[in-house]
Amino acid sequence: MTTPKHVSEPLPVYGGVPMRLDADTEGSLKALQRAAIRARQVAQQTGTDLIVVRSGKVVRVTPGAKAAP
């Protein structure tokens, strides 16, 4: 297996997340972040585009491409 390179796609920032989370919710959010990072790594390794939501629109993103602000 090859070592994944760093993927520059930023993690999404979600509004409205409560400041204090119970342990299950906090663990779930961290697991989702890890899964998103792994999906980006696999997409980069296989040359597959990612489908993400940005500003309420579904867009195709090439892994390793710089993210639009």
Side-chain angles (χ1 to χ4, degrees), residues 29-41:
L29 291 174
K30 288 182 181 181
L32 286 170
Q33 289 175 339
R34 288 191 306 270
I37 290 168
R38 181 67 181 135
R40 289 177 179 91
Q41 290 172 341

Side-chain angles (χ1 to χ4, degrees), residues 11-54:
L11 292 175
V13 177
Y14 299 106
V17 177
M19 293 299 287
R20 296 182 66 128
L21 301 174
D22 65 23
D24 289 338
T25 304
E26 187 174 339
S28 296
L29 291 174
K30 288 182 181 181
L32 286 170
Q33 289 175 339
R34 288 191 306 270
I37 290 168
R38 181 67 181 135
R40 289 177 179 91
Q41 290 172 341
V42 170
Q44 187 176 36
Q45 289 173 344
T46 60
T48 305
D49 287 345
L50 296 165
I51 306 301
V52 298
V53 177
R54 289 196 181 148

Side-chain angles (χ1 to χ4, degrees), residues 51-63:
I51 306 301
V52 298
V53 177
R54 289 196 181 148
S55 302
K57 295 183 179 183
V58 179
V59 295
R60 183 180 301 264
V61 176
T62 302

